[in-house]
Amino acid sequence: MLSAKSLFQEILDSDEAFRLFCSIAAGGEAQGGWENGRIAALVPAGLRALGPKIARHGADENKHGRIFNALLKQRGLMPAQVPPETDYTLLLERRGIGLAHERLSREVPLCDRDVIVYLAHSRVTEQRASEQMRQLLRIFGDHPALGRAVRMISRDEDDHLAYCHEELLRLAAAGHGRTIQTVLRECALAEIRVYRDVSLAVMRHMGTLLHWSRPKAALLAAGIHAAYAYERLGGWRRMVSLRQPARRDALGTPPVPEAEYA
């Protein structure tokens, strides 16, 4: 039976597929760590209180990158080169979503709108990350080799999403509500297209490594297109709603004291 669990198990059982999966994940997390670090350094004076939370966000992303690399090391694998068509972060930037690397590389403070763009971009992408990690948590939460790593990352992604909700609501109350909703909508509609394209590219590479039959590859591609159709018709709205999270100040408290997986 073709299911998410069976697909992830195939990837886990293949050194080359697992190597590609972890390399793609590690690269994206490291890129997110760099971006958050630069934003924390450039946050405008009026929003200076956000700086430590943004820095914490970046530190978590860097930690996740190290975790994925540690999973590779456990199996004696070296990171693979990430195909550009599977680089989710790069493709989002090319669509003008989030803050451009060229902007973050300059030593010029950000403005309030830049911070709104950052938080809106994060709210959308952290929704995706939280959902993906919860899926992996259901499948591998009790796995002897992967369970601890999955639980740690999933908890962090939920905290990142809670932080984005809370800070965007704070900015909306300060009079930025219309701008926030406009930017959130733009981000969400671009993200679902990029996610579809990246998913198709990853599946093509996995299909080659795992020697999938044409019918199986076609069925998986059809599923990705169907998921995109659902998101385009209205599923994207879950990425733009804002509500006070159950866990408040998720990135303003010290990290849970736990030895890092890596």
Side-chain angles (χ1 to χ4, degrees):
M1 179 181 176
L2 193 58
S3 65
K5 183 175 183 178
S6 67
L7 289 173
F8 280 117
Q9 190 64 52
E10 276 192 79
I11 292 170
L12 180 62
D13 291 342
S14 164
D15 278 352
E16 285 305 308
F18 185 73
R19 178 175 176 243
L20 179 60
F21 176 83
C22 288
S23 298
I24 291 171
E29 297 285 0
Q31 192 65 256
W34 179 85
E35 290 173 0
N36 278 276
R38 291 301 301 154
I39 292 166
L42 299 174
V43 71
L47 296 172
R48 187 63 65 189
L50 268 178
K53 298 180 182 181
I54 299 171
R56 164 78 182 279
H57 189 179
D60 284 348
E61 302 288 2
N62 284 326
K63 177 183 71 177
H64 300 168
R66 293 193 298 273
I67 289 173
F68 283 113
N69 281 320
L71 292 173
L72 289 174
K73 187 177 180 181
Q74 282 182 354
R75 286 176 59 162
L77 301 172
M78 295 294 292
Q81 185 171 354
V82 175
E85 64 273 18
T86 68
D87 192 329
Y88 173 79
T89 305
L90 174 64
L91 294 176
L92 281 174
E93 184 187 0
R94 285 181 177 172
R95 284 190 173 270
I97 301 304
L99 298 175
H101 286 189
E102 183 275 332
R103 174 66 183 87
L104 294 179
S105 297
R106 304 200 319 259
E107 297 298 330
V108 179
L110 302 173
C111 65
D112 287 2
R113 192 180 193 283
D114 290 330
V115 175
I116 289 171
V117 167
Y118 149 70
L119 284 169
H121 168 257
S122 295
R123 187 264 176 271
V124 169
T125 55
E126 293 297 342
Q127 177 80 38
R128 184 73 71 187
S130 177
E131 291 171 354
Q132 288 180 321
M133 291 310 304
R134 287 188 182 192
Q135 182 181 50
L136 287 176
L137 190 62
R138 288 192 295 271
I139 298 170
F140 293 124
D142 295 323
H143 191 278
L146 299 181
R148 183 170 168 233
V150 169
R151 292 192 301 272
M152 185 181 295
I153 296 173
S154 182
R155 182 183 63 223
D156 286 348
E157 301 296 9
D158 288 346
D159 282 351
H160 298 167
L161 184 57
Y163 147 77
C164 292
H165 276 275
E166 189 170 9
E167 297 305 333
L168 283 169
L169 284 170
R170 196 189 315 276
L171 287 167
H176 299 287
R178 182 167 296 182
T179 299
I180 289 169
Q181 283 302 317
T182 298
V183 177
L184 277 172
R185 187 179 189 277
E186 291 173 355
C187 285
L189 292 176
E191 192 278 343
I192 64 173
R193 290 193 296 271
V194 168
Y195 183 72
R196 174 201 60 191
D197 295 344
V198 168
S199 297
L200 290 169
V202 170
M203 287 299 103
R204 284 195 297 271
H205 284 281
M206 291 298 176
T208 298
L209 294 173
L210 297 170
H211 308 290
W212 287 341
S213 66
R214 286 187 179 181
K216 182 174 181 175
L219 182 59
L220 288 169
I224 292 169
H225 284 294
Y228 170 72
Y230 158 75
E231 293 197 323
R232 188 66 185 85
L233 287 172
W236 62 272
R237 296 182 187 280
R238 76 189 190 285
M239 295 179 159
V240 303
S241 62
L242 294 174
R243 63 185 181 280
Q244 283 294 353
R247 177 162 160 73
R248 304 292 291 273
D249 201 23
L251 298 190
T253 55
V256 175
E258 182 175 8
E260 183 170 320
Y261 186 90

